Amino acid sequence: MTDQTDINSEDLRIRPVDSSHIADLIRIADETNLSAWTAQNYLDEFQMPGSIMLRLESALNVTIGFVVGRIVEGGVVESEQQAEIYNIAIDKSEQGKGFGQLLFDAFIEKCNEQNVTSVWLEVRESNEKAIGFYKSNGFEHVQSRNNFYDNPREAALLMKLVLK
Ligand SMILES: CC(C)(COP(=O)(O)OP(=O)(O)OC[C@H]1O[C@@H](n2cnc3c(N)ncnc32)[C@H](O)[C@@H]1OP(=O)(O)O)[C@@H](O)C(=O)NCCC(=O)NCCS
């Protein structure tokens, strides 16, 4: 949890994640029951071509949230690319204040700069909050994947956003 009150969106900045922030990402992922990435998973992701790792920070450099995703080769046409969101999370005490939207918009801006045509993600079928967030951002549920997650075992919804 952050120890700050009344954080305004004007006080926030979006910056690339670097290795000094990994502990913050693990803390927020843990708090919000995201699929657990190890520090090594994040370090490996830095090396991946097309990786997008953004962090929302307060004026006091406190991490408020993060998004991790990647632009992947996928389209039949060379100029068409797909992106995937692996994790997006806002500190539990700061959710519902529009901060997730700031991060999501920054991720989409990066996608648009790279001619991404669709964004894909998986989400636990019980995660109504995230599903509501994604649907309000134009994602559609295209498929379900049974037994996709462990602890607890659960299906994933595969969701897709068409950008162009
Ligand atoms: C999902 C998450 C990133 C959204 O971030 P947030 O800061 O809480 O969301 P915002 O306040 O920016 O909401 C943006 C919009 O999403 C939609 N939204 C947000 N929460 C919603 C909910 N519970 N139900 C339906 N729509 C919702 C609304 O349209 C909202 O806009 P509005 O406030 O103008 O109505 C955040 O709740 C979170 O970290 N959840 C835990 C981690 C997680 O489950 N991540 C997804 C893993 S796949």
Side-chain angles (χ1 to χ4, degrees), residues 28-29 31-35 56 64-66 85-92 94-104 121-124 127-137 149 157:
I28 293 174
E31 239 177 41
T32 55
N33 299 318
L34 282 186
S35 52
L56 186 68
I64 307 295
F66 70 93
I85 294 179
Y86 301 129
N87 271 332
I88 179 168
I90 295 293
D91 184 297
K92 217 166 186 174
E94 304 297 342
Q95 291 176 10
K97 300 180 180 177
F99 298 160
Q101 193 66 52
L102 294 177
L103 265 176
F104 178 79
L121 57 83
E122 282 117 7
V123 56
R124 281 184 183 269
N127 192 347
E128 289 175 18
K129 197 180 216 178
I131 293 167
F133 175 80
Y134 295 137
K135 284 190 172 166
S136 75
N137 279 291
Y149 294 103
L157 306 192

Side-chain angles (χ1 to χ4, degrees), residues 2 4 11-28 42 46 52-69 87-91 99-100 102-104 106-107 110:
T2 60
Q4 301 175 96
D11 297 331
L12 299 177
R13 299 178 294 239
I14 291 175
R15 294 281 186 269
V17 174
D18 68 43
S19 55
S20 70
H21 305 128
I22 289 176
D24 290 347
L25 271 51
I26 289 174
R27 171 183 57 80
I28 293 174
Y42 288 108
F46 285 130
I52 302 176
M53 298 172 76
L54 301 173
R55 171 176 165 270
L56 186 68
E57 68 173 23
S58 74
L60 298 175
N61 298 327
V62 175
T63 303
I64 307 295
F66 70 93
V67 58
V68 174
N87 271 332
I88 179 168
I90 295 293
D91 184 297
F99 298 160
L102 294 177
L103 265 176
F104 178 79
F107 184 89
K110 296 270 181 207

Side-chain angles (χ1 to χ4, degrees), residues 101-160:
Q101 193 66 52
L102 294 177
L103 265 176
F104 178 79
D105 291 346
F107 184 89
I108 295 299
E109 199 178 314
K110 296 270 181 207
C111 290
N112 283 328
E113 285 167 10
Q114 299 291 317
N115 299 315
V116 168
T117 53
S118 57
V119 183
W120 297 77
L121 57 83
E122 282 117 7
V123 56
R124 281 184 183 269
E125 68 176 356
S126 66
N127 192 347
E128 289 175 18
K129 197 180 216 178
I131 293 167
F133 175 80
Y134 295 137
K135 284 190 172 166
S136 75
N137 279 291
F139 279 86
E140 286 178 16
H141 171 201
V142 291
Q143 216 180 85
S144 292
R145 294 179 167 169
N146 289 335
N147 299 323
F148 185 83
Y149 294 103
D150 284 325
N151 302 316
R153 181 147 294 211
E154 193 179 348
L157 306 192
L158 176 66
M159 301 188 82
K160 176 187 182 185

